[in-house]
Amino acid sequence: MTINITDDAVTGEDAVADVVNSSAVGVRARLWRLHPTDVREIAIAASAEILRLEAIRVAALDTLTLNPDEQVLCYRGTGEWLAHHTMLQIPAGRRIAALGKALRSFPEIENQFDTGDLTFEHAALIVAFCESPPKAMPDAALPYCRDTLLAAASGTEATTVKLRYAISVLEHMFESDDPPPSEDTDRNELRISPTLNGRVAVRGDFDGVTGEMLLSALSNLSMPTPATDGTPDKRSAATRNADAMAELIRRYLDNAATGIDGGQRPHLNVHINAKDLALHRECASTAGHSTGDASTSDGDDLDTLDLGMPDLDMQDLDRQDLDRQDLDVGHMPWMGPLSVGRTRMIACDCMLSTVLLDENGAPLDASPLKRLVTAAQRTALIARDKGCAFPGCDCVPAWTDAHHIKHWAKGGPTVMDNLVLLCRSHHTLMHRKPGYTGQWEIRMGTDHLPWFIPPPGIDPDQKPRRSTTRL
């Protein structure tokens, strides 16, 4: 299809302002008349406007909470009032009211939220941490922790995973006997309700470990499956998940008599640095004896698992570059961070595998003569890349391919420094013909980690980038 830009099309800053500040009625017709550069600017400007309006809505609702009139007093709270007068649902209205109330106690968080450098979800996560910090954390440490979390949540590269990692690090530093909310199994709920039309509605809320097991179990069963004639799978992601759940239940019932599920224990993958696992010596040694090859004596080994970080000084918390630090917490491919305590408990009854790392934390490898990536190499790639390594991509390891940076057909060896995990979309992007618009390049850095070089059309300086979606 060919798109022709008409001579009378509005372009530049005027076009951006015209679209962002006008009604959305007929906006698609106006956007088709613009150059893609202007459309990109419109998308960014609209996103900034949404953040600005979100902050105004939170402030307005909190003002009504403090100074309600007769109309607002007719409802059980300002959240319910807002839901009744908008298309929001009551739980969403309550969350808005709750954040507004909480921000009164944290002006630093409120200021960053009001300036548009903090999303609603990230503000809520930081407030929740500050309202209920780890019990072992002294009061004097709260400002440093708050500033660290605000730094992790600011800027266009901020992600929820990055922020949750920072929270997990702080929780581990001030570890107590109480589990963090993401690991509190007492909060688990699963509601199964038959509906009037003969169907069943399911709603659940699980801890991170249970969620990781569920997502791992559903992964292969929920992947798109083309028809025999090659027609792409037309099912939505929600439909594929529902079909996968039905198949999972069917398989369980088929094996219910024997209780055998056909796999090895555990059906869960967690990465952690061996030196941290070794601190729990009793369970680590027990697991090592059960497998016969687990080592916990060398800090450069990974048992089952992959993360570690240098010691954090409280005076440096607000200056930590969380993009470039390995964090002293466990990591699950689907659900993200997991406390060391919970990881050690899992390690008491699991199969341990070891990934040997160099001084930069990159997995070592010495099997260049095979074209296909071995199981051990893929385990090492997951430990290093933790999913699709392309900058900004959050695709989990189960949905990635191992890509040869220098193609095998051109003499590229099957070694760690020539391999990278890519999702199918970014794998296809890398195999496009040279000279294609948008061509990216991958180079292995001196740190033995993959760096991505954008094309000049995206970055004229072609500054190398790394994925910051997973730390």
Side-chain angles (χ1 to χ4, degrees):
M1 178 176 64
T2 302
I3 304 298
N4 295 316
I5 308 297
T6 59
D7 294 335
D8 59 341
V10 181
T11 60
E13 295 181 2
D14 292 339
V16 174
D18 178 64
V19 173
V20 172
N21 297 324
S22 62
S23 170
V25 176
V27 68
R28 286 176 175 80
R30 299 202 302 275
L31 290 175
W32 275 110
R33 299 177 59 207
L34 302 178
H35 190 275
T37 302
D38 295 326
V39 177
R40 284 193 284 107
E41 291 298 324
I42 288 170
I44 293 173
S47 298
E49 186 71 1
I50 290 171
L51 291 178
R52 184 183 72 83
L53 293 174
E54 185 70 84
I56 292 175
R57 181 168 64 176
V58 170
L61 205 60
D62 191 47
T63 302
L64 284 175
T65 301
L66 296 172
N67 186 30
D69 60 8
E70 293 183 356
Q71 290 192 33
V72 175
L73 289 173
C74 293
Y75 297 86
R76 297 179 62 185
T78 51
E80 285 83 346
W81 169 83
L82 182 65
H84 185 79
H85 290 83
T86 64
M87 290 187 287
L88 291 173
Q89 299 300 304
I90 289 178
R94 288 174 176 168
R95 287 194 297 271
I96 294 171
L99 180 60
K101 179 180 179 181
L103 288 176
R104 301 175 203 164
S105 304
F106 304 101
E108 296 83 3
I109 304 175
E110 179 184 28
N111 180 65
Q112 190 159 316
F113 179 60
D114 289 347
T115 57
D117 198 29
L118 192 64
T119 67
F120 182 96
E121 293 79 8
H122 292 173
L125 280 172
I126 298 174
V127 164
F129 176 89
C130 294
E131 285 185 325
S132 302
K135 292 183 179 180
M137 188 181 82
D139 293 340
L142 183 59
Y144 296 102
C145 296
R146 179 202 61 220
D147 292 344
T148 298
L149 297 181
L150 287 174
S154 64
T156 56
E157 293 187 352
T159 64
T160 301
V161 171
K162 177 180 176 181
L163 178 57
R164 286 182 56 214
Y165 264 110
I167 291 173
S168 295
V169 170
L170 296 176
E171 289 174 340
H172 175 59
M173 289 181 59
F174 306 104
E175 197 169 7
S176 67
D177 294 333
D178 296 330
S182 62
E183 298 170 19
D184 189 355
T185 57
D186 291 338
R187 301 188 182 192
N188 288 2
E189 292 182 341
L190 179 62
R191 303 182 185 277
I192 305 176
S193 306
T195 63
L196 294 177
N197 63 354
R199 297 182 63 81
V200 173
V202 180
R203 181 179 180 182
D205 181 10
F206 298 104
D207 63 283
V209 173
T210 304
E212 179 74 13
M213 290 189 292
L214 177 61
L215 291 171
S216 297
L218 294 177
S219 174
N220 286 335
L221 298 176
S222 61
M223 294 184 69
T225 305
T228 54
D229 61 356
T231 304
D233 195 334
K234 297 182 179 180
R235 295 175 300 167
S236 65
T239 300
R240 295 200 310 271
N241 284 335
D243 292 344
M245 178 63 75
E247 179 62 22
L248 192 65
I249 296 171
R250 185 179 300 110
R251 293 186 183 187
Y252 169 77
L253 294 177
D254 289 343
N255 292 279
T258 61
I260 298 174
D261 196 21
Q264 289 183 321
R265 297 178 67 193
H267 303 286
L268 174 69
N269 293 308
V270 185
H271 297 165
I272 190 172
N273 202 303
K275 69 178 185 294
D276 300 317
L277 188 62
L279 294 178
H280 193 60
R281 184 67 66 180
E282 307 83 25
C283 286
S285 61
T286 301
H289 291 156
S290 67
T291 61
D293 63 353
S295 169
T296 57
S297 60
D298 187 349
D300 285 338
D301 288 346
L302 281 179
D303 280 341
T304 326
L305 323 163
D306 152 64
L307 283 171
M309 78 168 201
D311 294 335
L312 283 178
D313 187 325
M314 281 305 305
Q315 300 301 320
D316 294 333
L317 272 179
D318 56 343
R319 298 191 297 272
Q320 285 296 322
D321 183 355
L322 294 172
D323 282 350
R324 302 182 183 275
Q325 298 291 349
D326 286 331
L327 305 181
D328 197 10
V329 292
H331 171 81
M332 298 179 292
W334 288 97
M335 297 297 294
L338 181 67
S339 71
V340 171
R342 182 66 170 170
T343 304
R344 292 172 189 155
M345 187 189 75
I346 293 172
C348 288
D349 184 23
C350 72
M351 300 290 290
L352 292 180
S353 61
T354 299
V355 178
L356 192 62
L357 305 180
D358 66 11
E359 67 277 6
N360 295 314
L364 298 176
D365 180 84
S367 303
L369 300 179
K370 295 182 179 180
R371 176 178 179 274
L372 299 179
V373 173
T374 66
Q377 285 176 319
R378 186 167 180 86
T379 298
L381 283 170
I382 292 173
R384 186 192 71 188
D385 297 342
K386 302 177 183 66
C388 180
F390 194 89
C393 185
D394 60 358
C395 187
V396 296
W399 293 355
T400 59
D401 303 325
H403 168 69
H404 285 74
I405 297 175
K406 180 180 180 181
H407 295 180
W408 169 264
K410 296 182 179 180
T414 306
V415 296
M416 293 302 299
D417 275 0
N418 194 46
L419 295 171
V420 61
L421 288 183
L422 296 174
C423 67
R424 187 55 54 86
S425 295
H426 290 124
H427 198 178
T428 302
L429 178 66
M430 291 303 162
H431 278 278
R432 284 177 174 166
K433 296 179 180 179
Y436 183 88
T437 302
Q439 183 74 23
W440 286 69
E441 181 184 352
I442 308 176
R443 296 176 187 170
M444 192 61 63
T446 56
D447 54 2
H448 299 285
L449 297 173
W451 291 81
F452 291 76
I453 315 299
I458 293 179
D459 179 6
D461 296 329
Q462 293 191 283
K463 182 179 179 181
R465 305 181 184 184
R466 275 198 59 207
S467 174
T468 57
T469 306
R470 293 177 179 80
L471 302 180

